Amino acid sequence: MLWPVMFALHAVCGGVAHAMQHYPAAWGHYDVCKSQIYTEEGLAWDYMACQPEATDMTKYLRVALDPPNITCGDPPETYCALENPYMCNNECDASTDELAHPPELMFDFEGRNPTTFWQSTSWKKYPKPLQVNITLSWNKTIELTDDIVLTFESGRPEQMVLEKSLDYGRTWTPYQFYATDCLDGFTMEPKTVGDLTQRTLLDIICTEDYSRGYVWKNDKTVRFEIKDRFALFAGPRLHNMASLYGQLDTTKNLRDFFTITDLRIRLLKPATGATMVDENNLSRYFYAISDIKVQGRCKCNLHANSCVFDKGKLGCECEHNTTGPDCSRCKRHYHGRAWSVGSYLPIPKGTANICIPSNHGPVHRANASSLGVANRNQARVCDNAMLRCQNGGTCHHHQRCHCSPGFTGVLCERASCQGPGECEDQLSGRASFPPAGRLLALHAIALQTLIVSLC
C-alpha cells in the first residue's frame, strides 16, 4: 500500500525540485515587451514590463585620465619589480607598440600572453603624491547587474576610492573606499560587504580586503560587490529575485544606488610593499591595470528590451509608445495620461504602464486592437486567484488592494513604516527597507523544509 504513495511523493519531489532549480527564471527576465493574444474582440497586444539583457558595458564607454600625461612612456622609462628592486627589466615606451601601455589596454581582450595593461608613470616625484583619476563615461544611464572588478598588474593600491555619478560627471558620490589601513587612510572603521544588512545596504564603507601588499602578489583583483548586495534581498544564490524586484520597484534610493552614468577610479597611493618608501628606487612604485569589468544594462525604465550603440551613443529602442534615450517620455500624440516608469510587479510579467493616445481630433473609441489588453491587465492589479492581496488585504474591483492596518504595497506584501526611527530614515534618504519579500521568503522556506522532510 505504501508503494503508490512513495511513487507519488517521488514525482511531487522531482517536480518541485525541478521548479525550484529554475526559480530565478520562473520570476522572469523581463525580456519581452509585448505579445499577441486572442481576445473576445480579436487579435490584440498584451504589454509587459521589459528590459535589455545584461552585457559587458566596457565596450561602450569613453575613458579619460587625470592628469592626462600620467601614462608611462613619454619619455621612455624602465621599471623595477615591487617585490625585487634589482629586477629592472620592464620598459615603457609610448613610441613603440610592443612597449606602450595606453589606457585602452584596460578594456581589450584578456587571455593574451603576455598580458596587456595600462601603466602610469613611476613615483619619481615622491614625496608628492602619485594620484590618478580614471573616469569611465557612457553618456547614458546604466543599471549595474554584477560586480565591478579591477585587475591590477602591479600591486594593488594602498589607498583607492571608487566613485559614481548619476548626472554625467557633474557631481560624484563615493561607492566604496579601499585601504591597507582604513583608519589611517580615511578615518573610517574597516568593514566588509558581509557586515551590511538590508537596512545598511546603502552605507558607504571602507574595506581592507583588496589592498594587501606584494606578499599576496597572486591577489590582483579589487571588487565592488554588487551581487552580495543583491543577495541581502534575493538570498545567497539570488533565488528570490521577487523580493529584490519588489524593493527596486518601491525604493528609489535603492534603484539609484545601482544606477550610474559614470564611474571614477581614484588611485591615491600605489602599493609600496613596506612601511617605508625606498627613495633610492622609486621606479618600483606605479599603477598598472590589465582589466576592468563592468556588467550592466541600459536603463530603459522597463519600456525596452534592447539597446543600440549608434554613432558613438547608446540608446534604448523604446516600446510602449515611449521615446527618448531612456524611454523617459511619451511619444507625440500619446499623452492620454502622464508617462510612468514600468513596474516589476506583479510578478512575473510586471506592469507596462504604456502611453496611450491623446484625446485630440475625432472621438476614437479605444478597443483591444488599438490599445492592446494592457489597460485591462493593468487595471487587474489584484484578483482572488493568482494575484491575491496578502496579509489580510481585500481586492477592490481588481484595481487595488485595501490593506490591513500595518501593511502596504501593491499586494499588501510589506509592513508599513510604523516606528519613528524607520520613518526618519526614509525621509532622510538613508536605507530603511521594510522586508517586502518576507512573506515570499517564509513560503519558500516552508516549502523547502517540507520537501526536505518528504524527499
Side-chain angles (χ1 to χ4, degrees), residues 261-291:
T261 58
D262 306 77
L263 282 173
R264 185 163 68 184
I265 304 157
R266 295 181 58 207
L267 306 173
L268 302 179
K269 185 179 180 183
T272 62
T275 55
M276 301 293 292
V277 173
D278 181 5
E279 297 187 44
N280 295 319
N281 196 349
L282 294 175
S283 60
R284 299 169 61 195
Y285 311 119
F286 54 91
Y287 304 108
I289 299 177
S290 60
D291 190 48

mmCIF file of all heavy atoms in Angstrom, residues 261-291:
data_model
loop_
_atom_site.group_PDB
_atom_site.id
_atom_site.type_symbol
_atom_site.label_atom_id
_atom_site.label_comp_id
_atom_site.label_asym_id
_atom_site.label_seq_id
_atom_site.Cartn_x
_atom_site.Cartn_y
_atom_site.Cartn_z
ATOM 1 N N THR A 261 25.813 56.918 -14.517
ATOM 2 C CA THR A 261 26.160 57.375 -15.866
ATOM 3 C C THR A 261 27.670 57.324 -16.059
ATOM 4 O O THR A 261 28.152 57.196 -17.184
ATOM 5 C CB THR A 261 25.679 58.813 -16.115
ATOM 6 O OG1 THR A 261 26.260 59.689 -15.123
ATOM 7 C CG2 THR A 261 24.161 58.904 -16.046
ATOM 8 N N ASP A 262 28.419 57.437 -14.945
ATOM 9 C CA ASP A 262 29.882 57.445 -14.978
ATOM 10 C C ASP A 262 30.423 56.739 -13.737
ATOM 11 O O ASP A 262 29.784 56.726 -12.681
ATOM 12 C CB ASP A 262 30.419 58.882 -14.997
ATOM 13 C CG ASP A 262 29.850 59.737 -16.108
ATOM 14 O OD1 ASP A 262 28.694 60.185 -15.986
ATOM 15 O OD2 ASP A 262 30.571 59.969 -17.089
ATOM 16 N N LEU A 263 31.616 56.186 -13.881
ATOM 17 C CA LEU A 263 32.388 55.666 -12.749
ATOM 18 C C LEU A 263 33.730 56.382 -12.713
ATOM 19 O O LEU A 263 34.289 56.720 -13.768
ATOM 20 C CB LEU A 263 32.629 54.164 -12.891
ATOM 21 C CG LEU A 263 31.483 53.206 -12.551
ATOM 22 C CD1 LEU A 263 31.892 51.782 -12.918
ATOM 23 C CD2 LEU A 263 31.114 53.275 -11.072
ATOM 24 N N ARG A 264 34.242 56.591 -11.514
ATOM 25 C CA ARG A 264 35.581 57.186 -11.398
ATOM 26 C C ARG A 264 36.403 56.373 -10.399
ATOM 27 O O ARG A 264 35.975 56.136 -9.276
ATOM 28 C CB ARG A 264 35.489 58.644 -10.950
ATOM 29 C CG ARG A 264 36.837 59.345 -10.921
ATOM 30 C CD ARG A 264 36.706 60.857 -10.894
ATOM 31 N NE ARG A 264 36.130 61.349 -9.641
ATOM 32 C CZ ARG A 264 35.843 62.629 -9.416
ATOM 33 N NH1 ARG A 264 36.050 63.533 -10.380
ATOM 34 N NH2 ARG A 264 35.327 63.007 -8.273
ATOM 35 N N ILE A 265 37.576 55.956 -10.855
ATOM 36 C CA ILE A 265 38.513 55.223 -10.009
ATOM 37 C C ILE A 265 39.601 56.200 -9.592
ATOM 38 O O ILE A 265 40.361 56.698 -10.446
ATOM 39 C CB ILE A 265 39.125 54.032 -10.777
ATOM 40 C CG1 ILE A 265 38.017 53.115 -11.310
ATOM 41 C CG2 ILE A 265 40.100 53.270 -9.899
ATOM 42 C CD1 ILE A 265 38.451 52.286 -12.498
ATOM 43 N N ARG A 266 39.673 56.482 -8.311
ATOM 44 C CA ARG A 266 40.667 57.432 -7.798
ATOM 45 C C ARG A 266 41.787 56.644 -7.135
ATOM 46 O O ARG A 266 41.608 56.093 -6.036
ATOM 47 C CB ARG A 266 40.027 58.404 -6.828
ATOM 48 C CG ARG A 266 38.977 59.331 -7.471
ATOM 49 C CD ARG A 266 38.402 60.298 -6.442
ATOM 50 N NE ARG A 266 39.449 61.091 -5.838
ATOM 51 C CZ ARG A 266 39.374 61.609 -4.599
ATOM 52 N NH1 ARG A 266 38.315 61.375 -3.849
ATOM 53 N NH2 ARG A 266 40.366 62.314 -4.112
ATOM 54 N N LEU A 267 42.920 56.561 -7.805
ATOM 55 C CA LEU A 267 44.098 55.876 -7.272
ATOM 56 C C LEU A 267 44.903 56.894 -6.474
ATOM 57 O O LEU A 267 45.418 57.871 -7.029
ATOM 58 C CB LEU A 267 44.931 55.301 -8.420
ATOM 59 C CG LEU A 267 44.170 54.388 -9.399
ATOM 60 C CD1 LEU A 267 45.057 54.016 -10.582
ATOM 61 C CD2 LEU A 267 43.661 53.153 -8.688
ATOM 62 N N LEU A 268 45.002 56.680 -5.157
ATOM 63 C CA LEU A 268 45.564 57.700 -4.269
ATOM 64 C C LEU A 268 46.958 57.370 -3.749
ATOM 65 O O LEU A 268 47.734 58.269 -3.436
ATOM 66 C CB LEU A 268 44.629 57.923 -3.075
ATOM 67 C CG LEU A 268 43.202 58.345 -3.432
ATOM 68 C CD1 LEU A 268 42.362 58.517 -2.176
ATOM 69 C CD2 LEU A 268 43.206 59.633 -4.245
ATOM 70 N N LYS A 269 47.262 56.064 -3.637
ATOM 71 C CA LYS A 269 48.596 55.678 -3.161
ATOM 72 C C LYS A 269 48.936 54.304 -3.723
ATOM 73 O O LYS A 269 48.193 53.351 -3.504
ATOM 74 C CB LYS A 269 48.641 55.655 -1.637
ATOM 75 C CG LYS A 269 50.026 55.370 -1.075
ATOM 76 C CD LYS A 269 50.030 55.382 0.450
ATOM 77 C CE LYS A 269 51.435 55.095 0.992
ATOM 78 N NZ LYS A 269 51.445 55.043 2.472
ATOM 79 N N PRO A 270 50.073 54.182 -4.430
ATOM 80 C CA PRO A 270 50.413 52.882 -5.010
ATOM 81 C C PRO A 270 50.894 51.901 -3.951
ATOM 82 O O PRO A 270 51.216 52.285 -2.826
ATOM 83 C CB PRO A 270 51.532 53.226 -5.996
ATOM 84 C CG PRO A 270 52.182 54.444 -5.413
ATOM 85 C CD PRO A 270 51.070 55.225 -4.754
ATOM 86 N N ALA A 271 50.943 50.640 -4.335
ATOM 87 C CA ALA A 271 51.482 49.621 -3.434
ATOM 88 C C ALA A 271 52.953 49.903 -3.178
ATOM 89 O O ALA A 271 53.723 50.193 -4.101
ATOM 90 C CB ALA A 271 51.303 48.242 -4.045
ATOM 91 N N THR A 272 53.354 49.819 -1.900
ATOM 92 C CA THR A 272 54.756 50.016 -1.543
ATOM 93 C C THR A 272 55.382 48.733 -1.017
ATOM 94 O O THR A 272 56.600 48.575 -1.053
ATOM 95 C CB THR A 272 54.904 51.121 -0.482
ATOM 96 O OG1 THR A 272 54.207 50.730 0.702
ATOM 97 C CG2 THR A 272 54.329 52.435 -1.000
ATOM 98 N N GLY A 273 54.553 47.828 -0.502
ATOM 99 C CA GLY A 273 55.067 46.559 -0.008
ATOM 100 C C GLY A 273 55.828 46.672 1.292
ATOM 101 O O GLY A 273 56.411 45.701 1.766
ATOM 102 N N ALA A 274 55.848 47.850 1.881
ATOM 103 C CA ALA A 274 56.577 48.042 3.139
ATOM 104 C C ALA A 274 56.035 49.277 3.836
ATOM 105 O O ALA A 274 55.223 50.024 3.290
ATOM 106 C CB ALA A 274 58.075 48.180 2.868
ATOM 107 N N THR A 275 56.499 49.488 5.045
ATOM 108 C CA THR A 275 56.056 50.668 5.793
ATOM 109 C C THR A 275 56.754 51.927 5.300
ATOM 110 O O THR A 275 56.226 53.024 5.416
ATOM 111 C CB THR A 275 56.340 50.480 7.295
ATOM 112 O OG1 THR A 275 57.732 50.175 7.474
ATOM 113 C CG2 THR A 275 55.495 49.349 7.856
ATOM 114 N N MET A 276 57.953 51.779 4.735
ATOM 115 C CA MET A 276 58.708 52.923 4.255
ATOM 116 C C MET A 276 58.911 52.829 2.748
ATOM 117 O O MET A 276 59.111 51.742 2.195
ATOM 118 C CB MET A 276 60.088 52.976 4.948
ATOM 119 C CG MET A 276 59.999 53.084 6.463
ATOM 120 S SD MET A 276 59.302 54.672 7.009
ATOM 121 C CE MET A 276 60.623 55.785 6.530
ATOM 122 N N VAL A 277 58.878 53.975 2.088
ATOM 123 C CA VAL A 277 59.138 54.045 0.657
ATOM 124 C C VAL A 277 60.646 54.084 0.416
ATOM 125 O O VAL A 277 61.371 54.836 1.081
ATOM 126 C CB VAL A 277 58.460 55.284 0.040
ATOM 127 C CG1 VAL A 277 58.873 55.460 -1.416
ATOM 128 C CG2 VAL A 277 56.957 55.185 0.166
ATOM 129 N N ASP A 278 61.123 53.250 -0.516
ATOM 130 C CA ASP A 278 62.544 53.220 -0.862
ATOM 131 C C ASP A 278 62.834 54.380 -1.813
ATOM 132 O O ASP A 278 62.616 54.302 -3.015
ATOM 133 C CB ASP A 278 62.870 51.873 -1.522
ATOM 134 C CG ASP A 278 64.339 51.758 -1.898
ATOM 135 O OD1 ASP A 278 65.115 52.682 -1.565
ATOM 136 O OD2 ASP A 278 64.703 50.750 -2.534
ATOM 137 N N GLU A 279 63.341 55.472 -1.262
ATOM 138 C CA GLU A 279 63.571 56.676 -2.069
ATOM 139 C C GLU A 279 64.708 56.505 -3.061
ATOM 140 O O GLU A 279 64.856 57.310 -3.988
ATOM 141 C CB GLU A 279 63.844 57.871 -1.150
ATOM 142 C CG GLU A 279 62.669 58.230 -0.254
ATOM 143 C CD GLU A 279 62.910 59.514 0.521
ATOM 144 O OE1 GLU A 279 63.408 60.488 -0.092
ATOM 145 O OE2 GLU A 279 62.600 59.548 1.727
ATOM 146 N N ASN A 280 65.505 55.458 -2.890
ATOM 147 C CA ASN A 280 66.610 55.219 -3.813
ATOM 148 C C ASN A 280 66.181 54.429 -5.041
ATOM 149 O O ASN A 280 66.982 54.243 -5.966
ATOM 150 C CB ASN A 280 67.735 54.463 -3.089
ATOM 151 C CG ASN A 280 68.342 55.294 -1.973
ATOM 152 O OD1 ASN A 280 68.556 56.497 -2.138
ATOM 153 N ND2 ASN A 280 68.608 54.648 -0.837
ATOM 154 N N ASN A 281 64.944 53.944 -5.043
ATOM 155 C CA ASN A 281 64.464 53.158 -6.186
ATOM 156 C C ASN A 281 62.972 53.405 -6.369
ATOM 157 O O ASN A 281 62.145 52.525 -6.163
ATOM 158 C CB ASN A 281 64.739 51.675 -5.965
ATOM 159 C CG ASN A 281 64.618 50.871 -7.252
ATOM 160 O OD1 ASN A 281 64.129 51.380 -8.258
ATOM 161 N ND2 ASN A 281 65.043 49.622 -7.222
ATOM 162 N N LEU A 282 62.633 54.615 -6.783
ATOM 163 C CA LEU A 282 61.221 54.998 -6.921
ATOM 164 C C LEU A 282 60.575 54.387 -8.161
ATOM 165 O O LEU A 282 59.349 54.465 -8.324
ATOM 166 C CB LEU A 282 61.107 56.528 -6.981
ATOM 167 C CG LEU A 282 61.515 57.258 -5.686
ATOM 168 C CD1 LEU A 282 61.473 58.769 -5.902
ATOM 169 C CD2 LEU A 282 60.616 56.859 -4.535
ATOM 170 N N SER A 283 61.346 53.766 -9.028
ATOM 171 C CA SER A 283 60.765 53.126 -10.212
ATOM 172 C C SER A 283 60.023 51.836 -9.855
ATOM 173 O O SER A 283 59.439 51.200 -10.728
ATOM 174 C CB SER A 283 61.859 52.826 -11.239
ATOM 175 O OG SER A 283 62.835 51.955 -10.686
ATOM 176 N N ARG A 284 60.038 51.443 -8.579
ATOM 177 C CA ARG A 284 59.267 50.269 -8.124
ATOM 178 C C ARG A 284 57.798 50.601 -7.922
ATOM 179 O O ARG A 284 56.965 49.700 -7.839
ATOM 180 C CB ARG A 284 59.825 49.746 -6.792
ATOM 181 C CG ARG A 284 61.246 49.290 -6.844
ATOM 182 C CD ARG A 284 61.775 49.050 -5.446
ATOM 183 N NE ARG A 284 61.024 48.005 -4.741
ATOM 184 C CZ ARG A 284 61.096 47.798 -3.428
ATOM 185 N NH1 ARG A 284 61.857 48.572 -2.676
ATOM 186 N NH2 ARG A 284 60.384 46.836 -2.882
ATOM 187 N N TYR A 285 57.468 51.896 -7.836
ATOM 188 C CA TYR A 285 56.125 52.296 -7.405
ATOM 189 C C TYR A 285 55.370 52.931 -8.571
ATOM 190 O O TYR A 285 55.785 53.968 -9.124
ATOM 191 C CB TYR A 285 56.222 53.277 -6.231
ATOM 192 C CG TYR A 285 57.155 52.790 -5.141
ATOM 193 C CD1 TYR A 285 58.290 53.526 -4.790
ATOM 194 C CD2 TYR A 285 56.922 51.589 -4.473
ATOM 195 C CE1 TYR A 285 59.149 53.089 -3.798
ATOM 196 C CE2 TYR A 285 57.781 51.133 -3.484
ATOM 197 C CZ TYR A 285 58.899 51.890 -3.154
ATOM 198 O OH TYR A 285 59.757 51.433 -2.176
ATOM 199 N N PHE A 286 54.257 52.320 -8.944
ATOM 200 C CA PHE A 286 53.444 52.796 -10.069
ATOM 201 C C PHE A 286 52.112 52.054 -10.012
ATOM 202 O O PHE A 286 51.884 51.161 -9.187
ATOM 203 C CB PHE A 286 54.162 52.539 -11.404
ATOM 204 C CG PHE A 286 54.571 51.103 -11.596
ATOM 205 C CD1 PHE A 286 53.729 50.194 -12.227
ATOM 206 C CD2 PHE A 286 55.803 50.649 -11.141
ATOM 207 C CE1 PHE A 286 54.085 48.867 -12.400
ATOM 208 C CE2 PHE A 286 56.180 49.309 -11.313
ATOM 209 C CZ PHE A 286 55.314 48.429 -11.941
ATOM 210 N N TYR A 287 51.202 52.424 -10.914
ATOM 211 C CA TYR A 287 49.929 51.708 -11.074
ATOM 212 C C TYR A 287 49.923 51.022 -12.437
ATOM 213 O O TYR A 287 50.410 51.582 -13.427
ATOM 214 C CB TYR A 287 48.732 52.667 -11.027
ATOM 215 C CG TYR A 287 48.650 53.528 -9.786
ATOM 216 C CD1 TYR A 287 48.933 54.897 -9.848
ATOM 217 C CD2 TYR A 287 48.254 52.999 -8.569
ATOM 218 C CE1 TYR A 287 48.845 55.703 -8.731
ATOM 219 C CE2 TYR A 287 48.160 53.797 -7.432
ATOM 220 C CZ TYR A 287 48.460 55.153 -7.516
ATOM 221 O OH TYR A 287 48.362 55.948 -6.404
ATOM 222 N N ALA A 288 49.347 49.822 -12.475
ATOM 223 C CA ALA A 288 49.177 49.119 -13.754
ATOM 224 C C ALA A 288 47.897 48.287 -13.668
ATOM 225 O O ALA A 288 47.741 47.480 -12.751
ATOM 226 C CB ALA A 288 50.380 48.230 -14.056
ATOM 227 N N ILE A 289 46.978 48.502 -14.624
ATOM 228 C CA ILE A 289 45.687 47.805 -14.635
ATOM 229 C C ILE A 289 45.557 47.046 -15.950
ATOM 230 O O ILE A 289 45.668 47.630 -17.032
ATOM 231 C CB ILE A 289 44.518 48.798 -14.477
ATOM 232 C CG1 ILE A 289 44.621 49.534 -13.144
ATOM 233 C CG2 ILE A 289 43.172 48.072 -14.579
ATOM 234 C CD1 ILE A 289 43.546 50.595 -12.948
ATOM 235 N N SER A 290 45.298 45.737 -15.844
ATOM 236 C CA SER A 290 45.179 44.921 -17.051
ATOM 237 C C SER A 290 43.739 44.728 -17.496
ATOM 238 O O SER A 290 43.494 44.416 -18.665
ATOM 239 C CB SER A 290 45.822 43.542 -16.829
ATOM 240 O OG SER A 290 45.184 42.854 -15.762
ATOM 241 N N ASP A 291 42.769 44.899 -16.584
ATOM 242 C CA ASP A 291 41.379 44.637 -16.978
ATOM 243 C C ASP A 291 40.418 45.352 -16.044
ATOM 244 O O ASP A 291 40.652 45.449 -14.836
ATOM 245 C CB ASP A 291 41.103 43.128 -16.939
ATOM 246 C CG ASP A 291 39.762 42.770 -17.562
ATOM 247 O OD1 ASP A 291 39.475 43.253 -18.669
ATOM 248 O OD2 ASP A 291 38.989 42.029 -16.930
#
